[in-house]
Amino acid sequence: MEIIIGAGATGLAYAALSGDDSLVIEAAGEAGGYCRTIKQNGFVWDYSGHFFHFRDEWMKNFILARMQREEILECRKRTQIYYQGNYVDFPFQKNIHQLPREEFIDCLYDLFNNPHHSQSTFKEMLYTRFGEGIADKFLIPYNEKLYACDLESLDPGAMGRFFPYADREEIIANFKIANNVSYNDAFIYPRGGAIEYIKSLQARVSGRRGKTISLNERVLAIDVERREVKTTKRVLPYCHLISTMPFNRLMEACRLPHDASAFSWNKVLVFNLGFNRPSHGSRNNWVYFPGKDFIFYRVGYYDRIFNAERMSLYVELGFPASAPIDVAGALERVMSGLRQAGIVTDQRLTDWSSVIMDPAYVHISAHSAAEVEKQRRLLARHGVYSIGRYGGWTYCSIEDGMLEAKALAETLTRS
């Protein structure tokens, strides 16, 4: 019997694709992880904005096969940055020509007269690749809000393929002919929210003999020598254990020696806000806010996707892992910021919900990468495999996690 910890997209994908009998254990009362959806008085909100940008055609067809195609909305992404009272197209580094003249000159001068050469940290990489003007005006303040940490502590490749790199030639070329295409230039979204993806995976798992999902069952301890998992309900033997729980928590559950100082992360408070009137002006799907005068770093419009008559937003705020969160106080500051930015004008807030994602973004450093690689090799000797964004302690998409699950299922099924 294979035991799978976590009924999020990665865990369910593994269960659906494995050729062995599988039991999925989920601590929450509902499958989905951060892909769960809140439906409230006609508003459809996710725990956070989850807009699938499929790159793998096989995985796309695998997920959509159990969904109603007419309920899938296809969208072309439009995003901008709210910078000092004006909107600049994303990515910032390719659109500095949209800044006021003096600021544009600052960014252009620093791009070509750059004294920075080191790229040993994420912050140094930003200075070296883009110069102080671009880095100080957007890339550093925005990512400090996103990660809620000092960027000197992050590996230069912490965001991998998701960081919108651009060389000087691309930046100059964009002055004349706009080319802001990125990995997520187009996305799809179900009318019922991201939970519809999870339902598709659940249907594949539940429809197969030897496959079971157990909710409200939390892992207490893992004995890797005996190959047993102790949960809040029972003790279970396993041949393979596939974990999607955060890697540091897996190591704690296994009671194996490890360097806990290698792991740090932030948490994110997400507000879903519903209003009585439509939004005005903007055609954006989401907007980035680097300014320190705004408590949030990103605002997204659900109503742009649904073409809805009432404004529906998600608003994201980053916090250090140890920071207390005053939800009521944060909501007051969010509403003030939305009014300051002109997003809320004559609309009245009628519905809202909040979610705390903890962990949200893991902090990837040379230290954490080395520790994960070392411990993964050790765990594999005991039939334990840790996968997904949090299981791999990495920055990846939901699709990446499912593709990793597919590759592991194929490997273990053959063995």
Side-chain angles (χ1 to χ4, degrees), residues 11 24 63 79 105 129 132 245 271 324 365:
V24 183
I63 294 292
T79 60
I105 291 172
R129 285 191 175 235
E132 292 181 6
M245 68 196 298
F271 284 110
S365 64

Side-chain angles (χ1 to χ4, degrees), residues 217-235:
E217 184 167 5
R218 185 167 55 87
V219 172
L220 299 177
I222 300 167
D223 188 327
V224 296
E225 297 295 337
R226 292 187 176 186
R227 296 202 175 197
E228 290 181 343
V229 179
K230 182 180 180 182
T231 76
T232 48
K233 297 181 178 180
R234 50 193 159 168
V235 175

Side-chain angles (χ1 to χ4, degrees), residues 40 45 65 73 89 93 105 206 254 278 288 312 335 343 353 368 372 378 385:
Q40 187 170 311
W45 299 319
L73 302 170
D89 287 339
Q93 53 268 35
I105 291 172
S206 302
C254 291
Y288 303 94
S312 178
M335 290 300 298
I343 294 173
S353 71
S368 70
V372 169
L378 173 64
Y385 304 90

